[in-house]
Amino acid sequence: MTTLTPELTETSRFEQRLTTPTPMAQLTDKVVIITGSVGNLGLATARACQAAGAKIVLVDRSDDRLREAYPDLADSPDHFFAGGVDLTNAESLGHMVQTACGRFGRIDALVNTVGGYRGGQPVHQMDLADWDFLFGINLRTTLLCCRAVIPQMLRQSYGKIVNVASRDALMGSAGYSAYSASKSAVLRLTESLAAELKQSNINVNCIMPGTIDTPQNRKAIANGDFSKWVEPEAIAEVILFLISDASRAITGAALPVFGKG
């Protein structure tokens, strides 16, 4: 009987992988926590995850807002409304994660879409309260949410975390100092977490959107070129890839999602 050489055996394995690719954005029965799930990006991400078969934990400060945004999911056993959660409070987040684990048994992915913007003034004139606000809503919420889910992900030796930075994280510009600094901190946090957790089969990445095409931004920038802005649904597809097993080889990345801008 002829014995296959190691080279042929390895080639066969490679060919087999080519013929059985990992499905893109396949999330059947994966448990995904989405913060800011009532916002434009959070809503688009939640609906995309739902369509991909995920069990979603929808996080917002108000249960009423969740019920208004997702009336079809209010009584679903496959999804969970986590209303009344203070994302700046570690105890509140710990209780949310504990409740979600009690219901579903695991946490497969966390998507941090909560964020905010203030700007327009030079550094020496911008109110320190605005600095505190931006570092609180952009960095502190991301940090605390990650800290809340990581112990469970370590126990199960699996997890995906996607944070939302910004194009402005790459370079500071006049009038954007506090916003850029807070989003740059999210990017550095993502890289550090990725380095710490990669040996535990936990992938941590972030996306850097350009101007997102939302009703609020169209109102605020009425003379903008909307055709160059990136739609929330397009960003959600990138997030879906990052929390799927198709992205298993990617960690510590900062993906530009600029649209045509």
Side-chain angles (χ1 to χ4, degrees):
M1 179 181 292
T2 303
T3 303
L4 292 176
T5 64
E7 290 78 14
L8 288 175
T9 301
E10 194 60 38
T11 300
S12 298
R13 290 173 182 169
F14 176 68
E15 290 175 346
Q16 184 178 19
R17 290 203 305 270
L18 288 181
T19 58
T20 56
T22 301
M24 295 273 294
Q26 179 61 45
L27 301 178
T28 303
D29 293 331
K30 296 287 188 182
V31 180
V32 182
I33 295 177
I34 302 171
T35 70
S37 55
V38 174
N40 293 290
L41 180 55
L43 184 62
T45 302
R47 290 305 188 187
C49 287
Q50 179 190 2
K55 297 179 179 180
I56 46 180
V57 179
L58 301 162
V59 184
D60 191 73
R61 63 180 181 270
S62 167
D63 191 67
D64 291 338
R65 280 160 44 104
L66 288 169
R67 292 183 178 278
E68 182 178 348
Y70 302 92
D72 55 315
L73 303 184
D75 299 316
S76 172
D78 293 329
H79 309 293
F80 174 55
F81 286 179
V85 177
D86 181 359
L87 297 181
T88 66
N89 183 280
E91 184 177 351
S92 180
L93 282 166
H95 177 71
M96 180 271 292
V97 170
Q98 184 178 21
T99 304
C101 286
R103 179 158 180 166
F104 298 117
R106 59 185 294 111
I107 301 296
D108 294 297
L110 166 68
V111 182
N112 288 308
T113 74
V114 166
Y117 169 78
R118 288 179 185 176
Q121 293 182 311
V123 173
H124 68 286
Q125 292 180 345
M126 189 172 185
D127 197 313
L128 288 178
D130 290 332
W131 281 82
D132 291 339
F133 168 79
L134 288 172
F135 272 81
I137 196 169
N138 291 332
L139 178 61
R140 182 179 174 84
T141 61
T142 301
L143 169 65
L144 292 184
C145 288
C146 290
R147 285 169 59 100
V149 302
I150 285 171
Q152 174 61 34
M153 290 182 173
L154 286 171
R155 282 191 291 271
Q156 62 197 31
S157 298
Y158 180 89
K160 308 279 188 181
I161 297 175
V162 176
N163 298 323
V164 178
S166 168
R167 184 178 199 163
D168 293 298
L170 297 174
M171 180 182 294
S173 55
Y176 288 80
S177 57
Y179 179 72
S180 294
S182 67
K183 288 297 190 178
S184 292
V186 170
L187 195 158
R188 298 284 91 89
L189 172 65
T190 299
E191 293 169 339
S192 297
L193 287 171
E196 292 172 359
L197 299 170
K198 62 184 177 181
Q199 299 302 327
S200 299
N201 201 32
I202 300 172
N203 300 63
V204 188
N205 296 289
C206 74
I207 58 170
M208 300 182 297
T211 304
I212 303 177
D213 190 1
T214 66
Q216 295 89 338
N217 283 341
R218 287 192 176 215
K219 182 177 180 180
I221 315 173
N223 62 344
D225 185 349
F226 308 146
S227 67
K228 294 184 178 180
W229 294 2
V230 59
E231 298 175 348
E233 293 77 12
I235 302 173
E237 290 182 11
V238 177
I239 292 173
L240 239 63
F241 165 70
L242 289 175
I243 62 175
S244 75
D245 288 333
S247 70
R248 62 195 178 279
I250 303 174
T251 194
L255 272 64
V257 193
F258 300 161
K260 298 177 181 178

